Amino acid sequence: MAGNLVQGAVFTVMVVRAGMLRDPAFESELAEQIRRSPRFFLNAPVVLDLKDAAEFIHEAEFAEAREVLRRHTLSLIGVQNAAPAQLAAAASAGLASFAPNAPQPNRRPPREATSNAVAMPAAATKTRLVTQPVRSGTQIYARGADLVVTAAVSPGAEIIADGNIHVYGPLRGRALAGAGGDVDARIFCSRLEAELVSIAGRYLVSEQLPPEQQGFPVQIALVDERLTVTRN
Amino acid sequence: MAGKVIVLTSGKGGVGKTTSAAAIAGGLALRGHRTVVIDFDVGLRNLDLIMGCERRVVFDFINVINGDAKLNQALIKDKRNDNLFIFPTSQTRDKDALKRDGVERVLEELKDSFDYIVCDSPAGIEHGALTAMYFADSAIIVTNPEVSSVRDSDRIIGLLASKSRRAEFNLEPVAVHLLLARYSPERVRKGEMLTVEDVKEILSIPLLGVIPESESVLRASNTGTPIVFDEESPAGRAYHDAVARFLGEQRELRFLQPERRSFFRALFGRA
């Protein structure tokens, strides 16, 4: 039974470098970013990266950081790269400690590291699958995942994914892949008739899409910062 | 008896919802089903005119919702067919008078004595239209072969799949059908209108029927006779076909080709 008490899951969490909080322009830039996609940032979890920020050692500073982010609808949930003293202060501010970004996330952590932690199965992020037509006025967001649609996406519909987007049908609405900033994300569709396509914030509207690709199965990728459409 | 609730809806206005509601209700009644057609367009009452009973309205849907009148005081029996009843709405109130629990109570009561309850939805996607679709078992999406109408229909289909009672309670989804009205084969041929295939492809729901654009529809509206009572007109026959398909019959689509003008008709310049 005990094994069922804790389940593992993998989440995408935004990381804010602690040093950035000291930048006077930080708040206005953050506000601008959030204004562009408020839904994406609403109550989104944030981890504070303490690398090169040894000056963060008081509990009050962590509480203040939490307040700043709260003002922008973000929720500070923990820290990473914390020195032992920082860890204690962060813990008393109610923040969790996250492991630093692993260079090879697929490799299992060494046995010693897990000995005093609960062993969590490494759950793969599940692809979001949509089998019904996505109708005008509907928005679907695959947070931290790929999105696969096996039906048509109507004009006036919006599909968004932090990962790749696959549409096995005509794509007539808007498709935004790599919404979390992943420049390697791609959009695949069996018929390009989109109103707008976007990867990691770079976008093309219908008029800008190459007319010779309209109506064909294509994939869209970011190459040298430019959105390129190639026939599949 | 547990009647089925059918909503005629479209999003866009002026596509022929009320005409179609009157025709479908009339068609069901002509086939022997006890049918009532309800006007949900509070404040813009029209169904009574199309049905030709405007001078017999005493109490209305809103009176019954508010408990000011009994159901049988408000229902108007059609003079042409004993199976057909009209439930007019109020012209003086607005859509806020459509209280969901009141509407539910009235529909439940109607289900006891009718086979089909046909709801004529107002245009738009606001309270009136949402209330009209909420209790539906089936929906007939009335669409014209033009892009704005098709897009609005797509939006309404999405709402039926998310905002109806069947969706909220995880019941079997509302059965959605397409009725393509005001179809002009001549204008389709000239490329001025979307084809049946175009519309079917975009909306991907089963096609109940195609109603040809016809002067007889206007005439029927102005004389207060649902078009299905006109056995001669192509539009009337197309509605009969649609009703038959709704009841599960297989019928070939008709009236998709431009009408051949005979030499004499062409000579006199009349269709």
Side-chain angles (χ1 to χ4, degrees):
Chain A
M1 279 306 286
N4 295 337
L5 287 176
V6 180
Q7 289 192 337
V10 176
F11 298 98
T12 302
V13 179
M14 268 180 284
V15 176
V16 172
R17 276 185 287 113
M20 278 165 31
L21 288 173
R22 299 266 188 258
D23 184 342
F26 171 74
E27 274 205 63
S28 61
E29 279 173 24
L30 181 64
E32 174 59 22
Q33 185 85 28
I34 290 171
R35 193 189 56 75
R36 271 185 249 138
S37 37
R39 270 166 181 267
F40 177 70
F41 288 103
L42 187 63
N43 288 326
V46 171
V47 165
L48 197 61
D49 186 355
L50 295 172
K51 196 162 182 243
D52 306 323
E55 69 276 16
F56 267 83
I57 38 169
H58 298 294
E59 186 188 327
E61 285 170 304
F62 289 107
E64 193 197 329
R66 194 209 305 264
E67 257 326 291
V68 170
L69 294 166
R70 182 78 286 188
R71 280 204 290 278
H72 298 279
T73 75
L74 300 172
S75 180
L76 183 60
I77 56 166
V79 295
Q80 72 175 181
N81 291 316
Q86 290 176 311
L87 210 51
S92 33
L95 296 175
S97 166
F98 284 74
N101 287 340
Q104 287 156 300
N106 290 333
R107 180 181 290 176
R108 281 170 166 266
R111 193 159 282 280
E112 307 85 83
T114 56
S115 59
N116 54 0
V118 185
M120 292 195 188
T125 311
K126 198 165 178 345
T127 297
R128 173 93 183 265
L129 175 65
V130 175
T131 56
Q132 292 297 310
V134 186
R135 303 285 180 186
S136 181
T138 324
Q139 190 184 50
I140 292 178
Y141 174 31
R143 183 180 285 256
D146 285 1
L147 175 62
V148 175
V149 180
T150 58
V153 177
S154 293
E158 193 167 61
I159 53 173
I160 309 169
D162 287 331
N164 304 300
I165 290 178
H166 302 251
V167 180
Y168 298 101
L171 169 56
R172 302 190 172 111
R174 298 163 158 248
L176 298 89
D182 181 2
V183 293
D184 296 325
R186 291 187 179 198
I187 296 170
F188 306 82
C189 65
S190 19
R191 211 157 91 208
L192 178 69
E193 296 174 25
E195 293 173 328
L196 177 146
V197 292
S198 163
I199 293 171
R202 252 50 63 96
Y203 65 89
L204 291 176
V205 293
S206 167
E207 305 197 313
Q208 299 166 312
L209 288 167
E212 68 277 10
Q213 308 284 27
Q214 292 274 352
F216 288 97
V218 299
Q219 63 172 297
I220 300 157
L222 257 186
V223 181
D224 298 330
E225 305 246 309
R226 288 170 62 90
L227 280 181
T228 53
V229 182
T230 47
R231 192 78 60 91
N232 270 352
Chain B
M1 197 181 291
K4 290 265 176 291
V5 180
I6 309 168
V7 64
L8 277 94
T9 184
S10 67
K12 197 172 186 304
V15 295
K17 276 186 298 297
T18 304
T19 301
S20 298
I24 298 281
L28 288 165
L30 282 169
R31 291 176 144 254
H33 299 287
R34 274 180 68 81
T35 305
V36 57
V37 54
I38 310 180
D39 193 348
F40 271 77
D41 205 349
V42 187
L44 294 168
R45 190 174 93 192
N46 278 156
L47 181 70
D48 52 330
L49 289 172
I50 307 281
M51 298 297 293
C53 67
E54 72 278 10
R55 291 191 291 177
R56 292 198 282 151
V57 177
V58 182
F59 294 106
D60 60 46
F61 191 23
I62 305 303
N63 294 139
V64 179
I65 288 176
N66 291 339
D68 301 331
K70 291 216 169 63
L71 199 51
N72 55 16
Q73 292 178 293
L75 287 179
I76 299 175
K77 190 171 185 177
D78 189 80
K79 283 184 172 165
R80 292 151 295 222
N81 190 299
D82 288 345
N83 291 318
L84 184 57
F85 287 78
I86 301 106
F87 199 173
T89 193
S90 164
Q91 179 72 350
T92 52
R93 307 291 294 274
D94 62 31
K95 308 283 190 283
D96 295 337
L98 287 169
K99 296 188 193 70
R100 189 174 280 181
D101 49 348
V103 172
E104 180 170 27
R105 203 191 66 237
V106 173
L107 291 178
E108 286 304 320
E109 204 178 329
L110 287 169
K111 280 183 190 177
D112 291 337
S113 41
F114 287 96
D115 298 315
Y116 291 103
I117 300 148
V118 177
C119 303
D120 178 24
S121 170
I125 51 170
E126 280 73 45
H127 179 70
L130 293 179
T131 309
M133 74 165 61
Y134 186 75
F135 296 103
D137 299 307
S138 309
I140 297 176
I141 311 294
V142 185
T143 305
N144 293 162
E146 46 118 0
V147 281
S148 59
S149 174
V150 172
R151 182 182 291 194
D152 290 1
S153 295
D154 193 57
R155 179 88 165 99
I156 283 286
I157 300 167
L159 289 173
L160 278 160
S162 59
K163 293 264 159 69
S164 60
R165 189 182 60 96
R166 283 177 172 267
E168 279 182 13
F169 289 88
N170 261 328
L171 305 170
E172 194 184 321
V174 179
V176 182
H177 311 269
L178 172 64
L179 186 66
L180 196 53
R182 313 192 72 160
Y183 193 80
S184 163
E186 184 62 24
R187 298 188 63 191
V188 170
R189 193 181 57 80
K190 288 186 197 154
E192 296 170 358
M193 272 187 175
L194 298 176
T195 67
V196 179
E197 292 311 314
D198 289 339
V199 180
K200 273 175 71 178
E201 216 268 327
I202 297 171
L203 294 179
S204 51
I205 53 172
L207 179 66
L208 204 59
V210 178
I211 313 299
E213 174 86 301
S214 152
E215 280 178 22
S216 57
V217 174
L218 186 64
R219 192 168 56 239
S221 299
N222 286 334
T223 57
T225 317
I227 187 73
V228 278
F229 291 106
D230 181 351
E231 299 287 341
E232 299 296 306
S233 84
R237 285 184 283 157
Y239 274 115
H240 276 290
D241 287 353
V243 169
R245 291 189 199 100
F246 183 82
L247 295 172
E249 279 179 35
Q250 300 284 333
R251 290 207 180 177
E252 285 289 312
L253 283 175
R254 298 194 271 179
F255 316 115
L256 296 188
Q257 299 307 319
E259 219 175 309
R260 260 200 222 105
R261 297 177 120 211
S262 74
F263 174 71
F264 279 106
R265 283 188 171 187
L267 207 64
F268 293 110
R270 292 192 53 181

